[in-house]
Each structure stands twice: as structure tokens, then as C-alpha cells.
């Protein structure tokens, strides 16, 4: 590898410009067929329509008696019981005038009957039943095909496989489904100062926490991390790791994208081919972002400070991965919350402020979780959301509503309040 240092050409761009540029490189991965128990969290790669009716036949919504509504237009009415129908048993005897069949929820309505009277509205008689309440035709009858019938569209490519959809697929008799592949993502830490957590000694070195926060963030969305460990700040060693990393669908490195003496990422990425870009994204935290498409794979050089890494992952890497996985919605939801404290900053960069959220009087309130420096991981640990303060703003007064990007999937309050 050439040893001449390349002077970083830092193009300054906005968050939305950077997001658009990286998303332009994100293409859905090929599809694969997986069994129903493997598919939760994946994204459909096919359209699915029903080819059967559910329910398959008219059936009872209640435990009670299947009757002819005309027989119970005046009550009490005494009917002869001609059959007993638990769920799953097919009826053999039609229900004639003056007759009823004892029926359980889910059992098919016998021929001749057109309504069900629930058991609470009846009294037993020897060999029969006394009906105490009138019934309209169709009462407590679940119609064949009232859920789906042949041709009903159920889901389309791009839909996430949530539990209800997985259940629906099972209900129509599917045992497997076509989904997008999950991307493998190489995670590489760079930095002479870094060690693994089990090598932490009192020698001034620090743990590569990014190795773990990134793997966790990847697992959260169903991507498959491939951890390549820590590389020292030596360009040849870093390049070797990147070449290994290109066996994965996406590559993420952290550290070494600043302008320090040992910041080699830009030079290494330039050597991988493709147009190497180094952006000073107008945001805080998370400013420098190196990006190249090498061998058709997006390769991200994220900054080293843990919160910069995570915020850059949120804004740029996560949407790319979700798009590759076939998701239609690739951004975190954004809500509006009232900022609880004054916030001041210089104009020029968009700030992502780590906040906790609470709900009062039907409104969300956002409270900064502590020191907002990009190396302070604890304030990120405590954050439910990132409050967004516009690049040009210099002050947001307490009490002002701000957009908050929800980075937590959990509900805001544990007590459902109902
Ligand atoms: P760099 O961009 O390499 O100058 O790193 C910026 C800061 O982030 C330095 O204080 C590094 O020690 C720290 N840092 C870099 N990589 C990691 C990592 N993998 N885990 C935790 N901190 C890191
Ligand atoms: Mg470094």
C-alpha cells in the first residue's frame, strides 16, 4: 500500500444529503425461502393471497343451540334436540322444523339451521331444549370466508413478518415463505488504544465498546454481525481486515476517520476501489463519515467516539441495512416533545440531543440525559430518543416542542394506565 498520506478532502454536507447519498447504494438483497418459525422479523419478498376460505364453513360463535330462526320468533319455544356438535365434528343430521342441535363454538352450522341461541338463553328439557330468547337469521353465526376467501390479498412484498401475519400464513396452510436475506455485516474496530473487555488492565487502554454496541444494534434489526476484532492503527493491517470484511454484505469500521496522525481509514478505503468519500456531516455528535462502495458493498468508516458511532449508525447505516433487508420503512419514528431545558449551541450543525421521554397532560416531554459530549456513553444509555435541533438554531427555549427520533422500541410507560 502506498505510504503517502492522502490529505482528507472534507466535503461538508447536511444530514439529509448524507442520508440520501448512502441510501442510493442500498439495494434489496436476494430472497430466500424460510420455514414459518424462522421468518419472524424478516421481510416478505412475495405477495401473498389466500387460496382457501377461513372459516372454511359457517360455524357457531357461541356455545348453545343451532336453530331455525323462524322456530324461535316467539318464546319460550320447545325444540327437539337431534344432534350434538362439538367443534371439529361434522354434522350428519339436518335440523328440521321444530328441531335444534346442541353446538359448541367453532362447530359447523348444520344444514337447515340459520342461527345460534346461546346456552345462557336456554333451559334443558328431557330430549329437548326450551329456548328463552328470539333469534334473527345469522345470529351468532360466523360466515364461511368472513376472514379471508380465495383471492383475498393478505400481504405484499416489503411487509414485515409480524406475529399476526405469521399466524395468517399458518392459517392458510403455508409452511414456508419467501423473505429477503439478512445482511452479514463486518464490524471492525481500529485503534492502538483498544482492548477487548476481558483484557482490561490498569494500563491506560480502553475497551472497544463500539465493537459491542454495533453488534447489538445489528442484532436488534436482524442483521448478522461478523466481528473482525480490533486492528492496530497500521494501514497494511487495517487493509487486510477490510479485504476479509468484503466477504460480508456491508462493512462497518470505527475510529481513524479524523485528521490525526494515525487516522488511516480514508487512505485504506481509497485503496479498496470505488469513489471514496469523506464527509464532514453537519451534525453533532458523529461528524466525520467515510464511505465507499467497494465490490458493490457499502463500506462505512464511522467515527470512534461511542456516541458518534451510534448516532452515525442510526442516521446512515441502519436505514441502508433495513432497505437491504427489504423494509419499506427504514427510518425511526419521529414524535414531537416539549424540551424541558434551554438548549444552546453554535449555528452550523444539526444536534442530536440524548433525551429521556415522559408523558404529562397528554404530551411528551424530553429531558436531556446528561453530558452531551460524544464520548459520554452513559447519557446515551439513558436516552429514549434523540431530540433534533436544527443546524441553524442557536437556542431552543425550554417549553418549545422539538422533533424527537425514537430510538427505543419499548413503550414510554410501563403502567398501561387502562
Ligand atoms: P478516533 O476517531 O480513532 O480518533 O477515535 C476517537 C475517540 O474514540 C478516541 O478517544 C478513541 O479512543 C475512541 N474510540 C475509538 N474507537 C473506539 C472503540 N472501538 N470503542 C470505544 N472507543 C473508541
Ligand atoms: Mg483512533
Amino acid at each position: 500500500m502506498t505510504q503517502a498520506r492522502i490529505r482528507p478532502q472534507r466535503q461538508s454536507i447536511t444530514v439529509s444529503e448524507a442520508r440520501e447519498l448512502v441510501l442510493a447504494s442500498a439495494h434489496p438483497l436476494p430472497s430466500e425461502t424460510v420455514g414459518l418459525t424462522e421468518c419472524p422479523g424478516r421481510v416478505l419478498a412475495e405477495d401473498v393471497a389466500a387460496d382457501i376460505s377461513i372459516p372454511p364453513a359457517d360455524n357457531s360463535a357461541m356455545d348453545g343451540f343451532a336453530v331455525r330462526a323462524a322456530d324461535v320468533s316467539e318464546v319460550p319455544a320447545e325444540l327437539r334436540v337431534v344432534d350434538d356438535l362439538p367443534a371439529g365434528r361434522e354434522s350428519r343430521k339436518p335440523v328440521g322444523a321444530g328441531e335444534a342441535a346442541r353446538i359448541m363454538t367453532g362447530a359447523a352450522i348444520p344444514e337447515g339451521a340459520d342461527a345460534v341461541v346461546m346456552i345462557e338463553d336456554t333451559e334443558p328439557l328431557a330430549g329437548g331444549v326450551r329456548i328463552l330468547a328470539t333469534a334473527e337469521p345469522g345470529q351468532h353465526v360466523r360466515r364461511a370466508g368472513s376472514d379471508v376467501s380465495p383471492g383475498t390479498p393478505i400481504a405484499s412484498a416489503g411487509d414485515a413478518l409480524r406475529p399476526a401475519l405469521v399466524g395468517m400464513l399458518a392459517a392458510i396452510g403455508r409452511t414456508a415463505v419467501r423473505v429477503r436475506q439478512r445482511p452479514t455485516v463486518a464490524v471492525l474496530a481500529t485503534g492502538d488504544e483498544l482492548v477487548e473487555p476481558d483484557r482490561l488492565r490498569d494500563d491506560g487502554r480502553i475497551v472497544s465498546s463500539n465493537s459491542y454496541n454495533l453488534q447489538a444494534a445489528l442484532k436488534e434489526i436482524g442483521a448478522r454481525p461478523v466481528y473482525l476484532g480490533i486492528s492496530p492503527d497500521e494501514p497494511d493491517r487495517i487493509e487486510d481486515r477490510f479485504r476479509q470484511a468484503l466477504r460480508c454484505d456491508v462493512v462497518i469500521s470505527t475510529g481513524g476517520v479524523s485528521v490525526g496522525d494515525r487516522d488511516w481509514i480514508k487512505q485504506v478505503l481509497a485503496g479498496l476501489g470505488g469513489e471514496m468519500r469523506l464527509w464532514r456531516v453537519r451534525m453533532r455528535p458523529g461528524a466525520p463519515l467515510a464511505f465507499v462502495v467497494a465490490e458493490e458493498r457499502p463500506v462505512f468508516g464511522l467515527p470512534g467516539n461511542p456516541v458518534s458511532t451510534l448516532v452515525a449508525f442510526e442516521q446512515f447505516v441502519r436505514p441502508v441495512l433495513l432497505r437491504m433487508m427489504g423494509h419499506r420503512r427504514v427510518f425511526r419514528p419521529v414524535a414531537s416533545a416539549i424540551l424541558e431545558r434551554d438548549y444552546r449551541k453554535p449555528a452550523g450543525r444539526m444536534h442530536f440531543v440524548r433525551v429521556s421521554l415522559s408523558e404529562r397532560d397528554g404530551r411528551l416531554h424530553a429531558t436531556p440525559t446528561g453530558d452531551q459530549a460524544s464520548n459520554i456513553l452513559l447519557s446515551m444509555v439513558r436516552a429514549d430518543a434523540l431530540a433534533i435541533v436544527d443546524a441553524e438554531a442557536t437556542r431552543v427555549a425550554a417549553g418549545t416542542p422539538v422533533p424527537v427520533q425514537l430510538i427505543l422500541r419499548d413503550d414510554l410507560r410501563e403502567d398501561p394506565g387502562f
Side-chain angles (χ1 to χ4, degrees), residues 189-190 193-194 206-211 254-258 263 303-306:
T190 68
E193 74 281 28
L194 302 175
I206 62 163
V207 171
S208 174
S209 52
N210 287 342
S211 301
T254 73
V257 283
S258 306
D263 291 339
N305 277 306

Side-chain angles (χ1 to χ4, degrees), residues 9 122 181 219 275 302:
Q9 307 284 307
T122 68
Q181 289 177 8
K219 286 191 171 165
E275 187 199 349
L302 301 186

Side-chain angles (χ1 to χ4, degrees), residues 333-394:
V334 173
S336 173
I338 295 168
L339 195 61
E340 291 287 273
R341 310 253 169 82
D342 270 11
Y343 189 83
R344 289 169 194 276
K345 73 181 202 24
R349 293 190 193 185
M350 175 177 278
H351 279 208
F352 291 87
V353 185
R354 285 150 259 174
V355 294
S356 63
L357 297 176
S358 57
E359 206 191 325
R360 266 200 330 274
D361 308 326
R363 294 240 37 187
L364 282 179
H365 294 255
T367 308
T369 51
D371 188 339
Q372 296 288 321
S374 59
N375 61 318
I376 303 297
L377 196 48
L378 188 58
S379 54
M380 188 67 168
V381 170
R382 294 182 172 153
D384 300 318
L386 298 170
I388 294 154
V389 181
D390 272 346
E392 293 325 311
T394 54

Side-chain angles (χ1 to χ4, degrees), residues 67 118 124 127 172 366 385:
V67 300
M118 59 185 187
I172 63 169

Side-chain angles (χ1 to χ4, degrees), residues 30-54:
S31 61
E32 62 183 340
T33 299
V34 298
L36 278 198
T37 55
E38 303 308 312
C39 77
R42 308 285 290 267
V43 180
L44 266 184
E46 61 171 323
D47 297 338
V48 180
D51 53 3
I52 59 166
S53 288
I54 304 175

